[in-house]
Amino acid sequence: MSTALIVTADLGGNLPPMMRIGRELASRGWRVVVTAEDRLRTRIEREGFEHLPSAGMAYDAALDRSTLASLRDVPRLWADRVRGRDAIAAASRIGADVVVVDVLLVGALAELESASVATVVVAHSTWEGVRLWLGGPLGVLMRLHGVRPMHTVGRADRVLVASDERLGARSAMPNNVRVIGPVLQEVPVPTGPSSERPLVLASLSTVAFPGQRDVLQRLLDAVGGMTIDVEAGTGSAVDPAGLRVAANTTLSRLVDHGSRMPAATAVVSHGGHATTVRALAHGLPILFVPMHPMMDQPRIARAVAEQGAGLVVPRSASPERIRCALRRLLDEPSFRIAAGRLGADFVSADGARRAASEIEAVVGHVPA
């Protein structure tokens, strides 16, 4: 039995593709072990994987930080080498054939360079998004912590970009990069609308961004005057207490997108990669409200809009502007047609299968 060690952290949309790839490896007979913070133990063990704790930097992605605090804490987290040292010890203890590392944990990846074990990086966004994260301002700050992000990623045995080229600008890629297609959490099973009224799912990230509560309130005000049903989730990023909610809206900490998307008509999202590919895989057009200019959200939102599968409004948009854009998204069939076309391609790409095959190629199970 071959063994894969997955190195990850609780950063929102990064987890689902890592877990899905782990499930695909397990279905092929691999032993899958995950090293991550203790609060992920239940989730990891529910997947059927073994959990090993990491003493890496503690980080609460739901904590509402100021922009300056984020610029201080995020690069420190991404550049943290303790996770890498824990991973080296774990890989030796379990006899790992390969270590699969989240692209954001470049400090861990840098530490793993000293170990004699194959390394595969999983990028849960577009290659353009990876370059923005690791080569932009956050990358500069990581260099101050002693990590050269793009250089480090370039030395991995393989970098798997779990996205579609239509979601980001085309650019030259190193020889170790493979675009494998989106890694979906589930295979969509269409059921059609559950009622005559359109159902709209709304979420502005489980990761806290400055001003997120105010944006969410304007969104709730916008949908309150529409003849639709809305299920809105705040995640752990925003406390729902005190938010104004109309009679047509259900507000909760968590909306189970996997069970609700088959019956939905559209999605309102911040433009996170995980939510975007999941919605499109279900053939749902998206109204984007990007929450942070330094993340991949604005670029993903723009790319989907250019494909005709969504619309974009700024985070400063008034309720009236949000309502007008959402009304257009619901009324014009072209958006749903374009979303269905993209989603069908995402499903057929089967990114999880391709990821597992690339991992097996790295360790010599099949020809590269």
Side-chain angles (χ1 to χ4, degrees), residues 90-350:
S92 175
R93 185 161 67 250
I94 67 176
D97 297 279
V98 62
V99 181
V100 183
V101 187
D102 189 302
V103 70
L104 298 182
L105 302 181
V106 288
L109 185 62
E111 196 71 24
L112 282 160
E113 289 181 359
S114 64
S116 57
V117 61
T119 55
V120 173
V121 176
V122 175
H124 41 89
S125 186
T126 63
W127 181 245
E128 181 188 22
V130 171
R131 293 180 61 191
L132 175 67
W133 292 336
L134 306 186
L138 291 174
V140 172
L141 293 173
M142 277 187 277
R143 292 174 73 94
L144 297 178
H145 291 284
V147 175
R148 295 186 293 165
M150 293 303 294
H151 171 81
T152 300
V153 169
R155 290 172 62 87
D157 291 284
R158 196 81 92 241
V159 179
L160 308 180
V161 178
S163 188
D164 185 278
E165 291 183 346
R166 287 166 291 185
L167 298 184
R170 293 178 178 270
S171 58
M173 300 180 186
N175 292 333
N176 65 338
V177 175
R178 305 287 188 274
V179 179
I180 59 172
V183 174
L184 304 176
Q185 297 182 54
E186 69 276 322
V187 177
V189 179
T191 61
S194 57
S195 69
E196 294 183 359
R197 286 163 61 99
L199 171 62
V200 174
L201 306 179
S203 172
L204 296 180
S205 180
T206 56
V207 175
F209 293 100
Q212 191 163 327
R213 184 182 183 87
D214 291 339
V215 179
L216 180 58
Q217 183 61 71
R218 277 183 269 117
L219 170 60
L220 294 172
D221 291 342
V223 300
M226 302 178 68
T227 310
I228 60 175
D229 293 320
V230 179
E231 294 183 13
T234 67
S236 54
V238 174
D239 185 350
L243 290 170
R244 297 185 304 274
V245 182
N248 69 337
T249 301
T250 301
L251 181 65
S252 59
R253 284 281 190 180
L254 180 65
V255 175
D256 184 359
H257 285 165
S259 66
R260 299 304 290 148
M261 280 187 177
T265 307
V267 169
V268 181
S269 168
H270 62 301
H273 188 270
T275 301
T276 298
V277 299
R278 199 176 194 185
L280 292 173
H282 284 272
L284 300 177
I286 307 169
L287 176 60
F288 293 99
V289 190
M291 291 301 302
H292 203 291
M294 290 177 62
M295 304 302 288
D296 56 354
Q297 303 158 16
R299 292 158 178 80
I300 288 174
R302 184 170 60 248
V304 173
E306 289 173 352
Q307 293 291 324
L311 292 171
V312 187
V313 296
R315 53 177 289 164
S316 60
S318 66
E320 292 75 18
R321 184 171 179 181
I322 295 172
R323 186 182 304 119
C324 180
L326 183 55
R327 186 75 271 163
R328 184 183 168 200
L329 201 71
L330 294 171
D331 288 346
E332 298 181 20
S334 63
F335 292 107
R336 193 171 184 92
I337 292 170
R341 183 172 59 248
L342 279 174
D345 289 346
F346 292 174
V347 172
S348 64
D350 200 350

Side-chain angles (χ1 to χ4, degrees), residues 6-21 37 40 43 61 77-78 101-105 122-125 133 206-207 273-274:
I6 294 177
V7 183
T8 190
D10 186 7
L11 302 173
N14 67 310
L15 274 175
M18 300 295 282
M19 297 298 99
R20 179 66 187 86
I21 291 170
E37 53 265 46
L40 289 179
R43 179 170 181 175
L77 171 74
W78 292 359
V101 187
D102 189 302
V103 70
L104 298 182
L105 302 181
V122 175
H124 41 89
S125 186
W133 292 336
T206 56
V207 175
H273 188 270

